[in-house]
């Protein structure tokens, strides 16, 4: 196996420079700690010298002679007294250390405005954290907020950025509705326009509130350091996952960020993905990012675009892209072929295992079905009296994991009711992008987020949940349409750099070379035949192969 070259991030000299800067900064901090007494004395001597110079300039000229004579006499007396110079030096050093000390006042409590804000939060929580039967309520009107609040912090504007709330044990913190009321109240009273994280500790009766920093939006599409079968959906908070990836952020600055990695393949527990969002939320960017990563790892890609906006035209004719369809007829034929290809792979794998041979290579090649707004095509097909194209997704969704077939569906909130039950049942990896309410996010992901979503978010910003795991904040890497002049030029160039070369699909080359043997030709339209040796359509066309009866 050929050894892959290291990524440019790891092979460049920027890492050595960064390590050198860290070592220099550490040495400077250590030297500052060791020389801190000398620095303090030097600062005090400077203060004493400036004070003496100021007093000398304030002394009238007729009194400077006697003052100078008195100073010289004092110096002579000190010099003649035993141990006088040593005592004078110790006295001067002590005075310099005293005047050179750090006089920055230590803040021991909140200011007046901050205390008033904490008091208003306390009064607002009284109806929720108190009952009439409590003989010593922790929350009471006119009570002391410092008994219930701790570990607080404020920003420059005086708004709360971190707060720990101690609530009584009889509060029903196990009910989602009760927690949601408290979170909504704290969100409204602490300042809107920010995203808050709420961590409930039911055992200790503590609620930790913290303000989350915005996720980076300057990370564009790039070759991520992942293995085959791993797809980077986006990036999240540092404490949410236990892995980081080296990426290039804005300005080509290398940094390590925590990713949300979706694993596919026969051993995946979440083999298919559903992405939901509002128009302009970034679901198309997510599908383009997934397609580029699949092509980079040697997979075949089929794209079905229901919107008809041409946002995937950059993939047409590229190596590994079997077809890009945007019409009901082509979508139906493509999905029919995908269903029969899934069955063909299952049959070929089963026969190989019965014969004690490994599965054929063409059955292990990943096949990706990317559908953007398929409900539009379903509506058009119903209007023309044609079969629903989404009905053909049942076979790839149910048996795709064993056949190395992955389905990714992107849909808008307004058309979710048009999706089939098979889509909802088998897409266990979910993504919600764009502005959405907590009930909407909970309906798609199965769990409400632990943060308060904001009304205005950048494209590609949302939440992700893989199977039964936790809900993660998500920022999709910027993957715009490279032919859209309204997007960032650097991001468009990054997508163009990742696109494969133009040429026939690998499946088409194999079909033309191995026709009549292991693969079949791709020149005839698909007919309803047993899925013996179906093969993908040629790149940039909607032609579907015929499956001859003698192919088996």
């Amino acid at each position: 196996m050929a050894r892959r070259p290291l990524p440019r991030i790891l092979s460049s000299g920027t890492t050595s420079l960064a390590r050198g800067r860290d070592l220099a900064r550490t040495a400077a901090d250590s030297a500052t700690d060791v020389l801190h007494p000398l620095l303090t004395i030097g600062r005090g001597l400077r203060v004493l010298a400036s004070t003496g110079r100021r007093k000398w300039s304030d002394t009238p000229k007729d009194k400077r002679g006697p003052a100078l004579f008195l100073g010289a006499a004092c110096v002579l007396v000190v010099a003649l007294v035993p141990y006088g110079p040593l005592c004078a030096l110790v006295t001067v050093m002590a005075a310099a250390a005293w005047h050179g000390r750090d006089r920055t006042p230590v803040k021991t409590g909140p200011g007046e405005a901050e205390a008033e804000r904490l008091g208003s939060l306390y009064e607002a929580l009284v109806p929720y954290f108190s009952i009439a039967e409590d003989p010593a309520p922790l929350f009471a009107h006119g009570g002391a907020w410092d008994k219930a609040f701790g570990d607080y912090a404020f920003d420059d504007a005086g708004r709360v950025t971190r707060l720990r709330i101690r609530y009584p044990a009889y509060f029903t913190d196990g009910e989602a509705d009760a927690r949601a009321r408290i979170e909504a109240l704290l969100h409204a009273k602490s300042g809107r326009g920010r995203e808050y994280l709420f961590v409930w500790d039911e055992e200790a009766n503590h609620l930790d509130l913290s303000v989350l920093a915005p996720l980076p939006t300057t990370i564009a599409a790039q070759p991520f350091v992942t293995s085959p079968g791993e797809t980077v959906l986006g990036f999240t908070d540092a404490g949410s996952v236990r892995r980081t990836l080296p990426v290039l952020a804005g300005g080509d600055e290398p940094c390590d960020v925590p990713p949300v990695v979706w694993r596919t393949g026969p051993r995946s527990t979440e083999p298919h993905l559903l992405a939901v969002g509002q128009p302009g939320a970034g679901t198309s960017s997510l599908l383009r990012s997934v397609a580029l990563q699949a092509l980079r790892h040697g997979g075949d890609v089929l794209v079905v675009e229901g919107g008809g906006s041409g946002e995937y035209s950059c993939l047409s004719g590229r190596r590994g892209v079997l077809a890009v369809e945007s019409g009901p007829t082509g979508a139906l034929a493509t999905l029919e072929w995908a269903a029969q290809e899934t069955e063909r792979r299952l049959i070929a794998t089963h026969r190989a295992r019965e014969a004690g041979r490994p599965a054929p290579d063409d059955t292990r090649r990943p096949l990706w079905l990317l559908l953007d707004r398929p409900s539009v095509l379903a509506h058009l097909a119903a209007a023309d009296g044609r079969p629903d194209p989404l009905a053909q997704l049942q076979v790839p969704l149910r048996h795709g994991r064993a056949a190395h077939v992955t389905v990714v569906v992107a849909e808008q909130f307004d058309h979710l009711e048009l999706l089939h039950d098979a889509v909802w049942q088998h897409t266990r990896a979910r993504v919600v992008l764009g502005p959405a309410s907590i009930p909407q996010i909970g309906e798609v992901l199965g769990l409400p987020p632990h943060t308060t979503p904001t009304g205005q978010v950048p494209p590609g910003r949302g939440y992700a949940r893989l199977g039964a795991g936790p809900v993660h904040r998500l920022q999709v890497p910027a993957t715009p349409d490279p032919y859209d002049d309204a997007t960032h030029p650097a991001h468009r160039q990054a997508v163009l750099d990742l696109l494969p070369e133009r040429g026939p699909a690998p499946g088409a080359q194999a079909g033309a070379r191995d026709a009549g043997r292991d693969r079949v030709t791709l020149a005839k339209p698909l007919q309803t035949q047993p899925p013996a040796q179906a093969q993908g359509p040629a790149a940039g066309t909607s032609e579907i192969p015929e499956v001859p009866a003698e192919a088996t």
Side-chain angles (χ1 to χ4, degrees):
M1 180 181 298
R3 180 174 298 178
R4 295 182 178 179
L6 289 174
R8 187 167 61 91
I9 300 174
L10 301 179
S11 59
S12 62
T14 55
T15 304
S16 301
L17 293 177
R19 187 181 298 109
R21 287 195 298 266
D22 294 340
L23 292 177
R25 190 180 297 109
T26 303
D29 295 340
S30 302
T32 302
D33 294 338
V34 173
L35 300 177
H36 180 70
L38 296 180
L39 296 176
T40 302
I41 294 175
R43 186 167 54 248
L45 290 175
R46 187 170 61 252
V47 172
L48 292 176
S50 61
T51 303
R53 187 167 53 254
R54 185 173 59 254
K55 287 185 175 297
W56 177 260
S57 62
D58 294 340
T59 303
K61 292 184 178 182
D62 56 342
K63 296 183 179 181
R64 289 182 179 181
L68 185 61
F69 176 77
L70 179 61
C74 293
V75 170
L76 181 61
V77 171
V78 170
L80 295 178
V81 173
Y83 303 104
L86 180 61
C87 294
L89 179 62
V90 172
T91 303
V92 171
M93 292 296 104
W98 175 258
H99 287 282
R101 72 187 187 279
D102 188 7
R103 300 184 181 184
T104 303
V106 179
K107 188 177 180 180
T108 59
E112 183 178 355
E114 297 170 350
E116 183 179 356
R117 185 178 290 272
L118 291 176
S120 64
L121 278 176
Y122 177 84
E123 292 292 336
L125 291 172
V126 169
Y128 300 92
F129 286 152
S130 63
I131 57 176
E133 294 81 6
D134 191 352
L138 182 62
F139 285 82
H141 291 292
W145 58 262
D146 54 350
K147 296 181 180 179
F149 294 163
D151 192 18
Y152 46 79
F154 298 85
D155 58 8
D156 297 336
R159 297 188 299 177
V160 177
T161 59
R162 186 180 69 252
L163 179 63
R164 166 164 288 190
I165 303 174
R166 186 166 63 93
Y167 56 87
Y170 52 76
F171 175 71
T172 56
D173 52 5
E175 299 179 1
D177 294 338
R179 294 198 303 268
R181 287 193 295 268
I182 299 299
E183 293 174 1
L185 174 65
L186 292 174
H187 181 207
K189 295 295 183 180
S190 299
R192 300 183 182 274
R194 301 185 297 175
E195 195 164 3
Y196 296 89
L197 173 65
F198 298 97
V199 179
W200 292 83
D201 188 354
E202 292 88 350
E203 185 178 0
N205 299 323
H206 286 162
L207 169 60
D208 291 332
L209 175 149
S210 59
V211 177
L212 296 174
L215 295 176
T217 59
T218 58
I219 302 177
Q222 55 192 279
F224 299 115
V225 185
T226 55
S227 59
E230 294 183 342
T231 303
V232 176
L233 299 180
F235 304 96
T236 183
D237 299 300
S240 300
V241 295
R242 295 178 294 179
R243 178 179 177 179
T244 59
L245 285 181
V247 299
L248 290 177
D252 293 338
E253 297 180 358
C255 59
D256 293 340
V257 292
V260 177
V261 178
W262 173 40
R263 293 175 176 83
T264 58
R267 291 182 174 83
S268 173
T269 57
E270 303 86 22
H272 309 295
L273 174 70
L274 173 63
V276 183
Q278 301 288 356
T283 54
S284 299
S285 296
L286 175 61
L287 260 64
R288 276 190 294 268
S289 176
V290 171
L292 293 176
Q293 296 181 62
L295 293 173
R296 177 173 172 265
H297 290 301
D300 293 335
V301 175
L302 278 170
V303 181
V304 176
E305 181 187 3
S309 58
E311 295 187 0
Y312 302 93
S313 60
C314 61
L315 298 175
S316 298
R318 302 286 180 175
R319 291 185 179 273
V321 181
L322 303 183
V324 178
E325 297 292 345
S326 58
T329 304
L332 178 60
T334 300
L335 295 180
E336 284 180 353
W337 174 85
Q340 296 195 14
E341 173 67 9
T342 303
E343 296 175 352
R344 184 197 70 82
R345 292 186 175 203
L346 293 176
I347 293 174
T349 303
H350 178 67
R351 289 177 178 174
R353 291 176 178 175
E354 283 184 342
R357 294 182 285 105
D361 294 338
D362 60 335
T363 63
R364 296 197 300 265
R365 185 180 181 88
L367 176 61
W368 292 75
L369 305 180
L370 308 181
L371 294 89
D372 191 358
R373 299 186 63 189
S375 61
V376 177
L377 298 176
H379 177 75
L380 295 177
D384 293 342
R386 299 175 180 177
D388 186 1
L390 294 181
Q392 303 297 327
L393 283 178
Q394 294 187 8
V395 175
L397 286 172
R398 291 178 180 177
H399 308 289
R401 179 172 57 181
H404 295 269
V405 178
T406 303
V407 180
V408 181
V409 180
E411 193 51 82
Q412 297 181 3
F413 278 105
D414 299 337
H415 303 90
L416 289 181
E417 67 276 359
L418 299 179
L419 295 180
H420 286 213
D421 293 338
V423 177
W424 288 103
Q425 182 178 358
H426 296 283
T427 53
R428 291 173 48 84
R430 305 283 180 85
V431 173
V432 176
L433 299 179
S437 62
I438 293 181
Q440 286 179 321
I441 299 174
E443 182 181 358
V444 176
L445 301 183
L447 280 180
H450 294 292
T451 62
T452 54
T454 57
Q456 296 180 354
V457 294
R461 175 68 176 83
Y463 298 91
R465 187 188 184 200
L466 304 179
V471 178
H472 301 287
R473 289 204 309 164
L474 181 71
Q475 178 63 50
V476 177
T479 317
D481 181 8
Y483 301 151
D484 185 5
D485 296 336
T487 56
H488 197 282
H491 296 170
R492 288 191 283 116
Q493 185 60 41
V495 175
L496 290 174
D497 294 340
L498 293 177
L499 288 174
E501 298 179 357
R502 292 190 180 275
Q509 293 178 346
R513 182 177 60 252
D514 301 332
R517 189 174 56 184
D518 295 332
R519 313 281 287 192
V520 297
T521 59
L522 308 176
K524 300 180 180 179
L526 182 66
Q527 298 178 359
T528 306
Q529 297 284 348
Q533 296 290 335
Q535 176 56 32
T541 66
S542 59
E543 294 286 342
I544 306 297
E546 180 185 7
V547 182
E550 64 273 13
T552 59

